[in-house]
Amino acid sequence: MAEIGGLRERKKAATRLALHEAALRLATEHGPERVTVEAIADAAEVSRRTFSNYFSSKEEALFHGDTVRLRGMLDLLRDRPADEPPWTALRRAALHLSADVYDDAALAWLTRRRQLHGHPGLVAHQVAAYIAIERELAGELARRLGGPDDALRARLLAATFLATLRVAVQHWLEHPDGPLADTLATALDLAAPAGQTPRPEASAAR
């Protein structure tokens, strides 16, 4: 039974990925404003109803890759040592994840994302992808902080971190002169709360 359930989940993940990739491909070829849900479903060889089972809009399908990477970062954060300072844990999780953007699949995704970068009709949806995970991130940070009065601090840390991440990625897409990890590290160090900027030797080891 577990094997059947696992197979079902893998099929769902494959369908979701196919829809995302179809949305990205069509948007870069024709412009996002000219892409329809029907066209995405046809390109992925599924029905319009199937599309609706996975995504509520074409924009959500377009930014699925961002959502997956943000959730991957959240999983990495949960695996960090519990006694690690929150911003340090966030920084290291983000840098660990950024190291994965250089395989072939990720580079293809980045190429298409760069082509869509800054499109006026998509900016709000990109921000929404980050906001959607903010509450979960704040919950994890609150657990790490541990105090009953730390809910506000956790929300502020989560919002600051995600805003920094989004701006750093946008800057790198516009100026891809070096590794994404370097841009992220610089941005996260600049935005670090007082007393949580890494020591020089820690920065050198990033």
Side-chain angles (χ1 to χ4, degrees), residues 1 9 20 42 64 75 79 83 109 133 154 167 173 200 205:
M1 185 66 71
E9 290 306 312
H20 166 60
D42 288 346
H64 173 64
D75 289 340
D79 289 338
D83 60 350
W109 174 78
I133 203 169
V167 171
L173 287 171

Side-chain angles (χ1 to χ4, degrees), residues 111-124:
T111 298
R112 287 174 173 161
R113 278 290 283 107
R114 183 173 288 121
Q115 290 176 283
L116 296 176
H117 172 68
H119 192 283
L122 296 178
V123 173

Side-chain angles (χ1 to χ4, degrees), residues 116-146:
L116 296 176
H117 172 68
H119 192 283
L122 296 178
V123 173
H125 295 282
Q126 183 190 25
V127 173
Y130 281 75
I131 291 176
I133 203 169
E134 184 177 307
R135 187 174 297 275
E136 287 184 65
L137 181 59
E140 173 61 21
L141 290 171
R143 185 186 67 79
R144 285 174 168 270
L145 291 167

Side-chain angles (χ1 to χ4, degrees), residues 1-11:
M1 185 66 71
E3 184 176 345
I4 294 174
L7 178 60
R8 185 180 297 114
E9 290 306 312
R10 288 195 295 273
K11 286 184 176 179

Side-chain angles (χ1 to χ4, degrees), residues 134-135 138-139 141-142 145 150-160:
E134 184 177 307
R135 187 174 297 275
L141 290 171
L145 291 167
D150 283 323
L152 177 59
R153 184 183 173 202
R155 292 184 66 178
L156 288 170
L157 276 175
T160 300

